[in-house]
Amino acid sequence: MTSPSGTTEVIGILGGMGPAATADFYAKLVSMTPGRSDQDHLTTVIWSDPTIPDRTEALLGNGPDPTPWLLNGSRVLREAGATVIAIPCNTAHAFVPRIADHVGLPIIHMIGEVARHLTTVRPAVRTAGLLATTGTVRAGLYQEWLDRYGIRLVLPDEDDQHREVMAAIRAVKAGTVGAAVTASLARAARRLTDRGAEAIIAGCTEIPLGLPADAIDVPLIDPAAILAGALVHRARAVCGA
């Protein structure tokens, strides 16, 4: 997407967390970009590094810090010409404060974009449920952002988090997507709606791959789609479209 003056936004996708979620995010970015030809789409650089250590394990103190890998990937993207960075991994956002000042490029904060999006949903969402990795939950990423907008957050209990949510996320990462995964996530979501959730945040980029929006009775908020939309909006603003 280039303006007549030649101004171009180059999207840098810091991915590999996991690879299927990265591919899904790029597909969403393409589908949300208005255009009738190849040339109408966004210039994009993808760094998909599946060797980045597990973010949840790091946050729980059971694995290495992924910060050096995230920094390296960001530098690769910058050197490849990226002008902005998107990270289609919720849990990785716990490490954004460690890299933001060293990257030299703006990072579009997916969780912040979700919080702002929730304020625009009608009917208004006063309570949201979160399905996410244990690392995202423990880091309080969504709790912090939703608090800023006065939105209450409800979380799965420990048993649901372990047996339903994390088991489903691991299954998707292993390439197993089917009725059993959908049923697990739908059960966990239903228990959150029973506690007042008016929308469910798919707070791990693997979750939309296993939980279709029509599998639950309230809106399913897809952070990857919201991030893609924010990038398209930014690029059109930069290019004067």
Side-chain angles (χ1 to χ4, degrees), residues 20-239:
T22 299
D24 179 64
F25 173 71
Y26 182 59
K28 287 169 179 167
L29 184 64
V30 170
S31 70
M32 297 181 74
T33 303
R36 297 184 177 181
S37 68
D38 295 346
Q39 292 73 28
D40 291 329
H41 283 268
L42 297 169
T43 303
T44 306
V45 181
I46 301 173
W47 177 252
S48 183
D49 181 7
T51 71
I52 298 172
D54 187 279
R55 284 65 58 198
T56 287
E57 292 299 303
L59 290 169
L60 298 180
N62 299 325
D65 181 358
T67 301
W69 283 261
L70 297 172
L71 274 173
N72 177 65
S74 299
R75 289 170 181 148
V76 169
L77 293 170
R78 183 185 65 212
E79 290 168 7
T83 58
V84 63
I85 289 179
I87 307 175
C89 172
N90 290 266
T91 315
H93 280 69
F95 302 92
V96 165
R98 304 183 190 182
I99 69 172
D101 292 339
H102 306 284
V103 171
L105 296 175
I107 298 172
I108 305 303
H109 201 289
M110 180 163 62
I111 297 172
E113 293 294 334
V114 171
R116 284 185 282 272
H117 172 79
L118 282 170
T119 67
T120 71
V121 173
R122 296 293 178 269
V125 173
R126 297 171 298 276
T127 301
L130 178 65
L131 300 179
T133 66
T134 302
T136 294
V137 171
R138 295 277 182 89
L141 299 175
Y142 277 97
Q143 293 93 316
E144 175 187 348
W145 275 95
L146 295 191
D147 274 351
R148 300 183 188 187
Y149 294 95
I151 299 172
R152 174 175 169 257
L153 190 67
V154 290
L155 303 169
D157 64 26
E158 188 173 337
D159 189 58
D160 274 359
Q161 180 64 29
H162 175 69
R163 293 179 182 273
E164 308 280 26
V165 183
M166 285 303 297
I169 290 169
R170 292 190 185 102
V172 174
K173 285 181 177 291
T176 304
V177 180
V181 168
T182 299
S184 289
L185 292 170
R187 281 193 299 269
R190 195 173 306 114
R191 292 186 181 111
L192 296 178
T193 60
D194 288 345
R195 291 165 50 201
E198 298 156 323
I200 298 295
I201 301 169
C204 170
T205 42
E206 273 78 25
I207 286 175
L209 299 176
L211 182 65
D214 61 4
I216 60 176
D217 296 328
V218 298
L220 181 68
I221 306 299
D222 182 351
I226 291 169
L227 177 60
L231 290 165
V232 171
H233 178 77
R234 175 189 167 94
R236 289 172 65 82
V238 167
C239 298

